[in-house]
């Protein structure tokens, strides 16, 4: 009978087919899927002035770090790259819980409206990006560090992995000091945003929201002052 000790996340195979597939898997989670959701559902193209630095540049850096960790593991012909069992649970469940908690906290503190929280890209970020990227990048980093590889090249690859992670952290620190609009308010019943990102940027400059963005998608919606 299967137990938690045997559990493998569904995305684990992405780490078993070499560094290219590992890179593509992380890049698909973010920024790939958010870019597609923004285009199809939110009817917009991602623009640097609308997005967070950690999303546009930090997440691709995580993809590089993941690929480097897989390459380092493959160089030693390791039997298994993905982390399984309880360590895998620890890499997926807490990040998911944190993402859901953070979304609620951001609404309660006025960082986002409820309509923004319900946008496709925001839902993807809070419920999918956190657990998937934590597992993929964390698993490859752990396996890469413990792979037993030797020689100067090992230290070069480890430096790449660490450098990419540090860049992602620095990008997050930058975003805390220079917040972006990030996500448009969204109306799921009509499958359209309530305001354009350009309008949101202009409104945030004057500390107000466009009228459309204030339309409540349901009772009890939190709104910015």
């Amino acid at each position: 009978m299967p137990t938690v000790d045997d559990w493998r996340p569904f995305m684990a195979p992405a780490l078993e087919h070499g560094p290219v597939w590992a890179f593509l898997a992380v890049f698909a989670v973010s920024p790939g899927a958010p870019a597609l959701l923004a285009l199809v559902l939110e009817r917009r193209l991602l623009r640097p002035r609308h997005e967070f630095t950690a999303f546009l540049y930090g997440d691709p850096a995580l993809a590089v770090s993941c690929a480097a960790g897989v390459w380092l593991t493959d160089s030693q012909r390791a039997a298994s790259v993905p982390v399984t069992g309880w360590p895998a649970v620890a890499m997926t469940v807490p990040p998911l819980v944190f993402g859901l908690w953070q979304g609620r906290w951001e609404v309660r503190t006025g960082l986002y409206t409820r309509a923004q929280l319900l946008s496709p890209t925001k839902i993807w970020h809070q419920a999918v990006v956190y657990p998937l990227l934590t597992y993929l990048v964390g698993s490859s980093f752990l396996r890469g560090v413990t792979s037993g590889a030797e020689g100067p090249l090992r230290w070069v690859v480890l430096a790449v992995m660490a450098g990419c992670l540090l860049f992602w952290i620095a990008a997050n620190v930058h975003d805390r000091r220079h917040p972006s609009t990030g996500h448009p308010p969204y109306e799921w019943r009509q499958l359209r945003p309530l305001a354009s990102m350009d309008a949101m940027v202009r409104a945030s400059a004057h500390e107000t929201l466009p009228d459309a963005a204030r339309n409540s998608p349901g009772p009890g919606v939190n709104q910015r002052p």
Side-chain angles (χ1 to χ4, degrees), residues 42 44 46 50-52 112 116 119 121 180-184 197:
E42 297 177 356
R44 67 187 179 97
L46 298 183
H50 296 160
E51 308 301 329
F52 289 98
Y112 289 106
Q116 285 179 291
S119 68
T121 50
S180 299
T181 306
H183 310 276
M197 293 297 285

Side-chain angles (χ1 to χ4, degrees), residues 64-139:
V64 174
S65 177
C66 182
V70 170
W71 182 89
L72 197 59
T73 307
D74 285 354
S75 69
Q76 299 303 300
R77 294 183 173 84
S80 175
V81 172
V83 173
T84 59
W86 284 108
V89 173
M91 287 183 177
T92 52
V93 176
L96 173 59
V97 173
F98 173 78
L100 298 177
W101 171 85
Q102 185 191 49
R104 182 179 180 185
W105 175 83
E106 288 173 336
V107 170
R108 295 182 65 180
T109 56
L111 294 176
Y112 289 106
T113 66
R114 184 169 179 265
Q116 285 179 291
L117 177 65
L118 294 177
S119 68
T121 50
K122 182 62 172 172
I123 292 174
W124 181 268
H125 181 263
Q126 301 304 125
V128 179
V129 171
Y130 278 167
L132 262 62
L133 285 198
T134 300
Y135 175 78
L136 291 172
V137 178
S139 181

Side-chain angles (χ1 to χ4, degrees), residues 3 18 29 95 99 125 137 143:
T3 65
V29 173
H125 181 263
V137 178
R143 292 304 194 197

Side-chain angles (χ1 to χ4, degrees), residues 43 63 179:
R43 306 179 188 182

